[in-house]
Amino acid sequence: MPKASRKDEDQYRQFVDDANSIILRMDASGRIIFFNKFAEKFFGYKAGEVLGKSVIGTIVPSTDSSGRDLRAMIRDIMCNPNRYIHNENENMLRSGQRVWIAWSNKAVAGNDKRKKEVLCVGNDISEIKRAQELLKEMDNRKSAFVANVSHEFKNPLGTIREVLAHLLEEASGKINEGQASLLKIAQNNTLRLMRLVSDLLDLSKIEAGKMKLKSKKMEIGPLVDEIITSSGIEIAKKKLTVRKDIPRNIGSVRADKDKLTQVIINLLSNAIKYTPDRGRIYIKLRGSPKEIRFKISDTGPGIAKKDFKKMFDKFERLTAERQEGTGLGLAIAKDIVELHKGKIWVESDLGKGTSFIFSLPRNLGGGV
């Protein structure tokens, strides 16, 4: 070997040995053929103790803590290294302690040009993984707490609603105008709290992955008509004009009827809320063989483009505090649409109004 080449190789080996990352090479059988000083220090092995040995049983356990077969993973890495350019897996120190490593893997030519080797560069991400697990546990506990508290509120609120309705119907005796006015205020606020509780329950189910869809085939036109009719009182109060553009041949969609109804009601209620008196709401449906697209537009104040991404964030509220509502309706609508493998987005011009659009596939897999 020429002197210059040998010097370059020595410098390269020195650089690799001094690197602040785990660097190793595996041959085509998954045996360790290079192990840098950082790897020695990290795993607790001297290079001579692991060279020529399989990574399985030395620095890689046979299975990880979840039961995943890491022997199969190593075989696949050797056969298909391009699938594992970036990979995270559990590893094992000499002491038996499990750690998580983020690996960058690259296929390289070995001494026998016909056989490939794999160069692996890794960094310890155990602390990050522990933090992620802790956050996941905290999130699960939060969801369970919200669900439990919401359930505790639901029954007494239902009782209060029934009592208020009973009093307003004068089933227990006559009430005067002032008393009726106060009871109606109490009734409206009770209903508002019940909507909040329902939204929180839905949110906790979605976050815990417990919201299941009961999909079935349904004609979409009659469903939209039914929802518009159910919102008739709110529409009449503000003297709004609702215009529909629903082709007669729009056809059917396979979805969870209750959940789809909830999405359309949330978007229509939003449009009613922000459309000024005597304003207009447009409901437009279009279909293709693969999907149905819903568009609900209003003539309200509009939304700035910089706020579009915040619209579906459950932790953001763009509207003034005087506006009633939980602020969760759009976030829940987005989650339900995405559970149906659909998409939802917003289009708006300040001062001209807002449109919420969502699309659903015609045939959602599963369900009866």
Side-chain angles (χ1 to χ4, degrees):
M1 180 183 289
K3 186 180 291 185
S5 297
R6 187 176 294 113
K7 182 179 178 182
D8 288 343
E9 184 177 340
D10 289 343
Q11 287 177 338
Y12 170 74
R13 283 184 171 275
Q14 188 65 42
F15 171 77
V16 169
D17 258 339
D18 291 343
N20 205 29
S21 294
I22 302 160
I23 300 178
L24 59 88
R25 278 172 84 141
M26 296 186 292
D27 67 11
S29 300
R31 292 189 295 261
I32 300 169
I33 56 174
F34 178 78
F35 207 64
N36 77 338
K37 288 180 180 177
F38 189 91
E40 290 182 318
K41 183 178 177 182
F42 182 81
F43 286 107
Y45 290 103
K46 290 294 183 183
E49 296 177 287
V50 294
L51 292 178
K53 294 183 179 179
S54 172
V55 290
I56 298 293
T58 51
I59 65 170
V60 179
S62 298
T63 58
D64 69 12
S65 299
S66 68
R68 178 187 177 197
D69 187 350
L70 297 183
R71 293 168 298 185
M73 181 196 73
I74 293 298
R75 286 195 296 269
D76 199 27
I77 288 176
M78 303 318 300
C79 295
N80 305 288
N82 289 338
R83 292 182 186 172
Y84 295 86
I85 293 173
H86 299 291
N87 183 49
E88 295 178 1
N89 61 268
E90 220 172 45
N91 286 79
M92 183 172 63
L93 305 184
R94 183 171 191 163
S95 65
Q97 179 185 342
R98 300 292 181 102
V99 292
W100 275 89
I101 307 293
W103 293 102
S104 294
N105 303 304
K106 181 177 176 59
V108 293
N111 291 329
D112 182 343
K113 301 297 183 184
R114 292 170 300 176
K115 292 185 178 180
K116 296 271 186 178
E117 296 174 357
V118 176
L119 174 66
C120 311
V121 180
N123 289 286
D124 183 15
I125 57 168
S126 302
E127 290 298 325
I128 294 172
K129 283 289 183 180
R130 278 192 282 272
Q132 288 174 343
E133 287 299 316
L134 180 60
L135 286 171
K136 184 178 179 182
E137 182 183 349
M138 290 172 65
D139 200 46
N140 289 339
R141 288 184 180 182
K142 178 206 70 179
S143 295
F145 173 77
V146 170
N148 289 336
V149 171
S150 298
H151 276 296
E152 289 298 319
F153 273 110
K154 198 168 186 179
N155 289 336
L157 284 171
T159 302
I160 293 169
R161 181 187 62 179
E162 290 173 8
V163 169
L164 290 170
H166 181 82
L167 293 172
L168 281 165
E169 290 167 3
E170 298 185 325
S172 297
K174 290 284 184 180
I175 57 174
N176 60 41
E177 190 175 326
Q179 291 169 329
S181 178
L182 291 172
L183 287 170
K184 284 177 182 175
I185 291 171
Q187 186 182 55
N188 287 337
N189 280 285
T190 301
L191 292 172
R192 184 180 175 189
L193 283 172
M194 290 188 75
R195 286 194 296 271
L196 172 59
V197 168
S198 293
D199 283 351
L200 289 172
L201 281 170
D202 283 342
L203 195 61
S204 63
K205 284 179 186 176
I206 291 166
E207 290 189 341
K210 293 181 179 178
M211 180 173 277
K212 306 300 180 185
L213 300 180
K214 298 176 182 177
S215 60
K216 64 179 181 179
K217 189 176 180 180
M218 71 189 82
E219 294 298 317
I220 198 63
L223 177 64
V224 173
D225 287 337
E226 183 183 318
I227 292 169
I228 293 171
T229 300
S230 70
S231 302
I233 294 174
E234 289 81 6
I235 292 168
K237 276 182 184 177
K238 299 184 74 174
K239 297 181 174 61
L240 303 177
T241 300
V242 177
R243 293 181 181 172
K244 296 183 300 178
D245 182 358
I246 304 176
R248 288 186 179 180
N249 62 347
I250 191 67
S252 62
V253 67
R254 190 176 185 85
D256 185 311
K257 183 177 180 180
D258 290 339
K259 298 295 184 291
L260 178 55
T261 298
Q262 186 176 357
V263 171
I264 298 172
I265 286 175
N266 281 351
L267 297 181
L268 180 56
S269 297
N270 214 55
I272 293 169
K273 184 189 299 183
Y274 296 111
T275 302
D277 290 359
R278 302 182 186 278
R280 295 180 302 279
I281 293 173
Y282 301 90
I283 299 175
K284 180 178 178 180
L285 271 65
R286 288 293 182 268
S288 71
K290 290 187 177 180
E291 69 172 25
I292 285 185
R293 181 169 293 190
F294 300 73
K295 184 175 184 179
I296 300 177
S297 306
D298 62 53
T299 52
I303 303 161
K305 283 185 171 58
K306 66 181 179 65
D307 291 327
F308 282 7
K309 289 183 180 180
K310 300 177 184 178
M311 291 304 303
F312 303 102
D313 190 332
K314 60 184 71 71
F315 301 111
E316 291 280 355
R317 182 157 182 167
L318 303 178
T319 58
E321 290 301 320
R322 64 182 178 81
Q323 293 284 3
E324 292 188 1
T326 65
L328 297 173
L330 292 176
I332 291 170
K334 178 177 182 289
D335 287 333
I336 292 173
V337 167
E338 290 178 351
L339 277 174
H340 281 84
K341 310 300 181 187
K343 296 178 181 178
I344 187 168
W345 65 96
V346 60
E347 296 174 356
S348 183
D349 287 318
L350 281 174
K352 294 183 179 179
T354 300
S355 296
F356 283 95
I357 307 107
F358 71 96
S359 61
L360 296 182
R362 287 272 190 186
N363 297 300
L364 176 68
V368 292

